[in-house]
Amino acid sequence: MTALQNGHFDSTTALAWATFTENLHARLRTLPRGDYITVSAAQASPGERGLRPYIDVAATDRGVLVSVAALPSLLYPDAPDTTAMDVQLLDCGWLDRGKPVADGSIIDLTRTDTRADAALVAEMITRVFREIWNVPHPSFLSVWSVAADGASSGPVDLQRGIVGRTTGAATESPSESSDDVPAELTALQTLCQLIGRRVDAHTVRSVCADGDLDALKARAVSLHRSAAVRARPDDASAEHSVAVWKNLARTWLLVAHSMDAVTRADRHACR
């Protein structure tokens, strides 16, 4: 396969994941209370209790989203590196132990988010399946919706439809212009760019001492999504520009992830 063909394959796969994530976000944002959806890795071998890697997201009566993710070490207890995979899952924000099953064991972890964080939840779900479970393409995922009344349950197609894209300068709205980015986010973005990973909680709190962490996190997610849209190539001549925007999208996601860890820890401390 030539380099150009490789590049086309990579961009096609990236667009497929972007479409899946965008559609998942839309689904989570409007998920009726009492309903839930299940995303599972259809290509994986069944693990303990016949389960495959999964993430369930339910909309509760309190208007929040509760996500339940399979714990790798208990799903595949004999597989190598599952402990490291558990750590990755924790790193993605699934921090709470799920409810014990009949034999008393815990087979999953949970996280709780507001609907305002639906975009971040969708991004994290995509990240878990891509980076932890090594799903190569969203076509290997199965998505099932379950209504509270059971009347409208069934499979959900999150892969069709092209995420709306714009070209040129019109892609970036005035609210996403670099001149309008809060200084706190600019500082965190620079740090994440330099170290290539998320920053620690102490650094986030120091940089954002007087800022609204929830609002700043939402803005970081918005900036990530804006950059991700511009990272979708329209032609081969845009290869360099695409690489720049991909890197920027990744960095803004690291910023959002850094802030999410802090706000989540703060919520735990208040319990």
Side-chain angles (χ1 to χ4, degrees), residues 8-75:
H8 176 70
F9 177 79
D10 289 343
S11 64
T12 300
T13 302
L15 180 58
W17 278 112
T19 301
F20 173 85
T21 306
E22 179 75 11
N23 290 337
L24 178 59
H25 168 217
R27 191 82 183 190
L28 296 180
R29 191 177 62 239
T30 59
L31 192 65
R33 293 186 179 186
D35 289 14
Y36 73 90
I37 63 173
T38 296
V39 184
S40 60
Q43 97 285 8
S45 300
E48 288 293 301
R49 301 173 178 84
L51 298 173
R52 290 179 170 85
Y54 64 85
I55 296 179
D56 297 338
V57 186
T60 71
D61 292 336
R62 294 178 294 141
V64 299
L65 299 173
V66 177
S67 308
V68 181
L71 193 60
S73 62
L74 288 173
L75 196 58

Side-chain angles (χ1 to χ4, degrees), residues 176-190:
E176 304 298 345
S177 66
S178 58
D179 293 338
D180 195 34
V181 176
E184 299 96 330
L185 290 184
T186 300
L188 290 176
Q189 190 266 342
T190 301

Side-chain angles (χ1 to χ4, degrees), residues 86-95 124 127 198 257 261:
D86 287 354
V87 173
Q88 284 183 278
L89 187 60
L90 289 166
D91 197 44
C92 285
W94 276 267
L95 301 176
M124 289 298 102
R127 181 179 176 184
R198 75 178 193 177
H257 195 188

